[in-house]
Amino acid sequence: MASLEDLAVSAFINILSAIGFLLAFAVLRVQPINARVYYPKLFISGLTSSTRGSSKGVLRFVNFNLWSYVVSFFSWMPEALKKSQTEIIEHAGLDSAIYLRIYVLGLKIFVPLTVSALLVIIPVNVSGGTLLSLKKDVFFNDIDKLSISNISDGSERFWVHLVMAYLFTIWTCYILYMEYCNVAFMRLHFLATQHRRVEQFAVVVRNIPSISGHSITESVDHFFQKNHPEHYLSHQAVYNANGFAKLVRQKERLQNWLDYYQLKFERNPAKKPTGKTGFLGLCGQTTDLIDYYSQRIGILNKRIDSERQRIIKDPKAILPVAFVTFNSRWGAAVCAQTQQSKNPTQWLTEWAPEPRDIYWKNLAIPFVSLSIRRLLISITVFALVFFYMIPITFVQSLANLEGLEKVASFLRPVIELKFIKSFLQGFLPGLALKIFLYILPTVLLIMSKMEGYLSLSAIERRAAAKYYYFMLVNVFLGSIIAGTAFEQLYYFLHLSPTEIPRTIGVSIPMKATFFITYIMVDGWAGIAGEILLLKPLVIYHLKNMFLVKTDRDREKAMDPGSIGLAENLPNLQLYFLLGLVYAVVTPILLPFVLVFFILAFLVYRHQIINVYNQEYESAGAFWPHVHSRIIASLLISQLLLLGLLSTRKAAHSTPLLIILPLLTIWFHKYCKRRFEPAFRNYPLEEAMEKDTLEKASEPNLNLNAYLADAYLHPIFRTFDQVEMEDIRIDKSQTDKVSPQRNESSSTCSPYNEYDHDSSIYQYDHDDSSFYQYDHNSSHLYQYNDHDSSTHYVYHHGI
Amino acid sequence: MASLEDLAVSAFINILSAIGFLLAFAVLRVQPINARVYYPKLFISGLTSSTRGSSKGVLRFVNFNLWSYVVSFFSWMPEALKKSQTEIIEHAGLDSAIYLRIYVLGLKIFVPLTVSALLVIIPVNVSGGTLLSLKKDVFFNDIDKLSISNISDGSERFWVHLVMAYLFTIWTCYILYMEYCNVAFMRLHFLATQHRRVEQFAVVVRNIPSISGHSITESVDHFFQKNHPEHYLSHQAVYNANGFAKLVRQKERLQNWLDYYQLKFERNPAKKPTGKTGFLGLCGQTTDLIDYYSQRIGILNKRIDSERQRIIKDPKAILPVAFVTFNSRWGAAVCAQTQQSKNPTQWLTEWAPEPRDIYWKNLAIPFVSLSIRRLLISITVFALVFFYMIPITFVQSLANLEGLEKVASFLRPVIELKFIKSFLQGFLPGLALKIFLYILPTVLLIMSKMEGYLSLSAIERRAAAKYYYFMLVNVFLGSIIAGTAFEQLYYFLHLSPTEIPRTIGVSIPMKATFFITYIMVDGWAGIAGEILLLKPLVIYHLKNMFLVKTDRDREKAMDPGSIGLAENLPNLQLYFLLGLVYAVVTPILLPFVLVFFILAFLVYRHQIINVYNQEYESAGAFWPHVHSRIIASLLISQLLLLGLLSTRKAAHSTPLLIILPLLTIWFHKYCKRRFEPAFRNYPLEEAMEKDTLEKASEPNLNLNAYLADAYLHPIFRTFDQVEMEDIRIDKSQTDKVSPQRNESSSTCSPYNEYDHDSSIYQYDHDDSSFYQYDHNSSHLYQYNDHDSSTHYVYHHGI
């Protein structure tokens, strides 16, 4: 256990590093060269294009105005607070606004908790005086004087803790209820005021049965015309374009290499780039690389061509999935919420996610394999949570010197060098763990993708759930009970159910200093580091230096990503857990949590306004998860307090605590019934209202044209017009569609249909430029720094 | 532990008593006097009315044809088997047919299990020979030679048990899957071929918000006209008639007394019946009882009148619940499955149960109190399951002599008498337990009613679930681990999770003889006793002797009740549990289970054909529960086998068993997704098909008239025509409705609307008859054994 001085030192270091990060941010963010890292959203919305050209020379990269540095250190905070919630919703979407509310929720819960805990529990604890009376004998922690450990066994003072536990639970539930109300209202209001959107009229149908003699398209038409005669409009078949997308990606990779060597050749026309083409460029014949890549791209183009033909011609390329559109929101709402077929596993309907939220790859997963996939993934997650130390220990033992020497005895002389030895021994084992923890969110995201959910938002929510379990077991329980999670599992399986909360409960107060340190490192310095965006900053500048050739490239290089709910939500929920668990036990931890919430709120508000880009809009669909995990934290805190008190001989008060978890579970069930349907279904009342309004205001709206190819796989937007006709939904409508479709599809995806596959790439030695000739448009594109090249590079960046 | 001889004795006694019951049944059922007990369904369907009059005198009561007795002993079994499943569905409804399939399911699962277990496991066990080698030292049970106990620790023979456990699980799952398929198909087929029924067009709406300035009726009309403009037909408001029903019941009770005294007076006209009117007829003034009851009925009639007026006039009598009807099955299916309002707790829609299935009382429960009710009931059920011994022990200790002597010392001389003492000591404690177990199903049914479910079928399913938990904990676990359930709970809470299956698993083989005895007593003799219907037989004859005055009364006295799923399903599921648990451990138990399934199948088939009356038709809605409880039994059996093997040092084979429960859970989840929607929703495809068909065959159908007052509280059928107008759904339609309505309502309820409250009861001293004069119809009803009296008594029997 750390003493109070240790804690002060830790606080000093962490506050210093937090200030250091903020200073670095203050300096870096006013440099114009970093603008694309710290204010990418301004570029995306095109606000800075005019101001950017004004400064010239070195001023374009470095800022010499000293006053701006001073201002910069403080100004971002009021800047971050300036925007109202409505403006944030407009600017960054409802998801971001609701995400920020979680921090406010944290403040709303913990400010009164902190005040009352500091005013009531700490005086009671200090005057409890068990430890004070033992002062001479025991070397004790100063923090413990402020915690429940300071109360003597069987004291009547435990009543205070009991009453506070009740008050805290009631307050937390009250705030949670109000917040759920608010969020549900925000969501409904958002959906109600939203302009017409394609997903309001669309339903995704899975597991369409194959009827012999009928194509999927025919049976979908027949089924919905029969069962939704008054509402069915048309449908968009889904093509299995995964193979096609793979080829396109492959081509893009090759194209990148080609570009690289061509650039090299441009700069140094004397020397043609040559190299080996075998494994990793290490073996094989030495050839002209530009020719080599051009040839490979040519071959690939043919394969892409034939694949495209296959998709269009082969009926097997049409998946048993379709996006069905309706002529009214009411019709779509009805279809999404009802069971269609007598066989409950066929014709499964659910709301279509918005087009940019769709994870297209998963549409090709056969429905029957979904339950097997989910079984396997849940077993894997369980193993990952509880046995994750095993492979790491294995890797560590390999990295261990004895192991390494055994495996590769010829390395012995090198390893025996003192410097290398100490590096390997001191650094490698830790590195293995660090690498694992660093890639964990990505691994969890991939696992969630394999589960077969159709939308990115659902995949992120699932990944967040998995990460939460990992954090709960490995960070929270793992820190309280020493040993790996696997040892804990073994331990718990051999402990009686009543013993578990008792064993953990007893260790809770002892770990307070550890968690305070954790909050300072992860929650203070870590969050201050977040605003610095160190990783994106470095990557951007590296890319800028070596790879960026055009504005389009620069835009790709500055891609800020989205908030990353999969990682941030569980991190946040851990702070709720810590705050609630320690609120009664060691309330001195609460101010540290409060500082985290304030700082993180400011930082993320700033980041959402200036940095992160919105990938999709789920209208706060993650809130039920946030709510239920705070409830889970509440339950954990109650059970641990129960366990702790039961060891402290507080026989009068302990039994009364049993009611608390029961009431909490009941509250959760109530909230679930009360609010959750608002996050799952689209009420008919709402749908009807919007339909009526729209019919009155736009009586001549051509919905069919509006919806025409909203749900077309983005890859097909590269097809040419003639081929598109075959892919597109409603053949009779295409002529009317074309002008409108572009308008509507531009919101869904920035791709314009344009054929780039029948083009020929040519290199002109005279002007050191690379020309692309397009047969369809009979246009020649010069590959260099002018307008059309943007278009070109863009196309390969699909 | 009982030895093999003890078991043989027990088997002998039980087989004897089973044969005794069957003999008694053979004798009693051919007596014409018992016909109404053993063949009530023939009377209900009116089949025996012609044959009954043929025999005369004593022959009407006793059968002297000896040959018929011999035939009777055997003939009921082929009789029971004669009807095909389709005939049973027609005769007794789909629920009964599906209920019988559970026994067939038992046979399908256990016949192959028994054969393979007897052929494989028993030889392996017998040749295992641990116990044989110890023969001299240990006094052991012969049954144990055939069980897994006979295998020595760490033997490789455990592989056989492991493989058999896998095979048994696979076979059980396969049969369960096929059966779920079958039942789901039967249900869908039944719903598809069903004739037009009111519940296909109706949806019950709960929690209708009260909008100021609008009545409930107006807001329902407005809401559904707005949100389901093309499908909404009309609605039936629900009146809070619980108070009214109570008064009617009260009046009925008083009327019974009046009838009784009048009958007495008729038989002995010299003496007017007099008595005291105070508490239990013990105190108060002595008065003329006929006058007294007539007066009280008169007062009650006035109260009933004013209550009726209040219901009609007072807008508060209209509950925020309504039955909404649609002009197509499609419209109703859509409304039942979708969320209506933006506020997810308002306008909650679900399928309307069929009118006879509705539990009217619960419609008046405010929606907000439902979640509190369910919380309280689940706490109570938990307490009942685990602490049920406490109040019984308390009562027993009161009945204990020392306790009684202390409380009432004046009783001491009586208690000290030897005969009374031994009676009290030997009988009372057991009696308290018996009484508790006897009333338990009723208590559970009342608790389920308090949870606020709207349909009798749902209430029965909930009661069955509660009873199942009770059986599982108190009969199954309670028999394996000695001590009360409370002690078990305490024990389990202090045991580690891995220890629990181990501790129970070890005791499993030791309890085999106990469960074999249990099966013989409860499953053989008990089932044979079931066919005798001893309780209904005695009650019927008692009623017939003392109470029955008219044919109508006789019909009421012979009321056979329904199958009683709440009690029978959990009982049945216990046999599945026993069979699956012992299949690998002590397979000799399996033949006993098989005999139970065969016998019970025959007996219940006979009872369903001849005795039990169908209360409602849920189209097999209980099947998902049956399925999931057999899966639960399978899981329990696997965990216990795992626990057992882990103590037997079978280190190679035990870990492989862990996969089994995982696969079973996955199978359950798969089945749930695959089949359960068929039991919850009405697919749109189905609805549309039936709508289309009906539109083609009956284009001029007046649906509004058909549905007019199908969902009127049965109590209102006693209102007169003028008042009915106010209550009925669609005021503009009533004229057209009247002739058709009777036709349709006669299927829902046998009551004809008829005013009996404005009638005056008169007694004529000259012909010793009682006359009732009806102002409305200007008819005089003589209260005696002629036609109209049936009508009269009938009316008071509401």
Side-chain angles (χ1 to χ4, degrees), chain B residues 201-317:
Chain B
F201 298 92
V203 161
V204 55
V205 185
R206 300 184 88 170
N207 225 23
I208 299 166
S210 62
I211 301 152
S212 62
H214 290 274
S215 71
I216 296 274
T217 312
E218 281 165 1
S219 42
V220 170
D221 265 338
H222 177 250
F223 186 86
F224 284 96
Q225 261 156 16
K226 195 176 134 215
N227 293 311
H228 295 269
E230 289 151 22
H231 304 285
Y232 174 66
L233 196 65
S234 70
H235 78 278
Q236 169 69 62
V238 176
Y239 294 84
N240 188 353
N242 289 352
F244 186 69
K246 204 174 158 190
L247 289 177
V248 170
R249 270 201 309 278
Q250 216 169 327
K251 183 177 158 189
E252 186 190 344
R253 254 200 313 278
L254 292 175
Q255 191 65 45
N256 258 341
W257 280 109
L258 185 62
D259 294 353
Y260 172 76
Y261 287 117
Q262 274 162 351
L263 209 71
K264 217 171 160 185
F265 190 50
E266 268 173 58
R267 282 176 193 156
N268 184 7
K271 194 183 156 208
K272 257 201 133 177
T274 54
K276 289 170 179 172
T277 54
F279 179 70
L280 285 178
L282 293 174
C283 48
Q285 281 191 317
T286 305
T287 50
D288 181 337
L289 286 170
I290 291 178
D291 279 359
Y292 170 73
Y293 282 111
S294 301
Q295 275 168 19
R296 279 196 61 184
I297 288 171
I299 295 164
L300 214 55
N301 275 338
K302 272 182 201 138
R303 281 183 62 194
I304 287 175
D305 251 14
S306 71
E307 175 74 15
R308 197 174 54 227
Q309 290 304 321
R310 196 188 66 77
I311 288 175
I312 294 166
K313 301 275 151 63
D314 187 7
K316 277 180 191 161

Side-chain angles (χ1 to χ4, degrees), chain A residues 311-534:
Chain A
I311 288 174
I312 294 166
K313 300 276 151 63
D314 187 7
K316 278 178 191 163
I318 298 181
L319 295 167
V321 185
F323 291 95
V324 177
T325 50
F326 292 84
N327 62 11
S328 66
R329 291 171 184 85
W330 193 90
V334 159
C335 183
Q337 292 177 54
T338 49
Q339 189 192 337
Q340 307 303 315
S341 153
K342 291 176 213 174
N343 181 340
T345 55
Q346 288 177 351
W347 298 103
L348 294 167
T349 51
E350 53 183 299
W351 273 111
E354 47 171 356
R356 59 181 168 161
D357 190 13
I358 292 174
Y359 187 69
W360 293 95
K361 240 178 170 177
N362 279 352
L363 284 168
I365 295 174
F367 186 80
V368 282
S369 80
L370 282 185
S371 58
I372 296 167
R373 275 163 178 263
R374 283 175 201 171
L375 173 76
L376 292 179
I377 293 290
S378 32
I379 292 171
T380 319
V381 169
F382 181 84
L384 192 69
V385 168
F386 283 99
F387 307 121
Y388 86 102
M389 280 307 288
I390 296 175
I392 290 171
T393 320
F394 179 71
V395 171
Q396 285 176 345
S397 73
L398 256 191
N400 216 358
L401 298 187
E402 286 77 36
L404 207 62
E405 279 180 22
K406 262 185 209 157
V407 174
S409 54
F410 59 90
L411 283 176
R412 189 170 301 183
V414 185
I415 291 170
E416 292 295 320
L417 286 175
K418 205 180 169 200
F419 167 73
I420 291 177
K421 190 172 181 176
S422 64
F423 171 79
L424 284 176
Q425 274 182 329
F427 194 64
L428 266 190
L431 191 68
L433 183 61
K434 275 267 174 279
I435 289 172
F436 171 78
L437 289 177
Y438 186 75
I439 61 168
L440 181 67
T442 319
V443 170
L444 293 177
L445 209 58
I446 292 168
M447 280 163 72
S448 305
K449 281 178 181 167
M450 282 162 67
E451 281 182 306
Y453 290 92
L454 291 191
S455 65
L456 289 171
S457 54
I459 290 169
E460 277 210 329
R461 285 199 296 276
R462 297 289 306 166
K466 293 184 180 73
Y467 197 45
Y468 177 74
Y469 299 135
F470 187 87
M471 299 275 283
L472 182 67
V473 171
N474 289 294
V475 177
F476 182 70
L477 293 180
S479 308
I480 289 171
I481 297 160
T484 65
F486 176 54
E487 283 165 17
Q488 287 160 37
L489 181 69
Y490 185 81
Y491 184 64
F492 285 138
L493 284 178
H494 289 79
L495 217 59
S496 84
T498 48
E499 278 300 311
I500 294 171
R502 196 177 286 192
T503 317
I504 304 172
V506 170
S507 343
I508 283 283
M510 293 192 277
K511 295 289 174 180
T513 44
F514 169 78
F515 281 117
I516 290 174
T517 322
Y518 178 87
I519 292 169
M520 287 190 295
V521 174
D522 183 83
W524 296 8
I527 289 294
E530 156 73 29
I531 203 171
L532 194 60
L533 288 169
L534 205 60

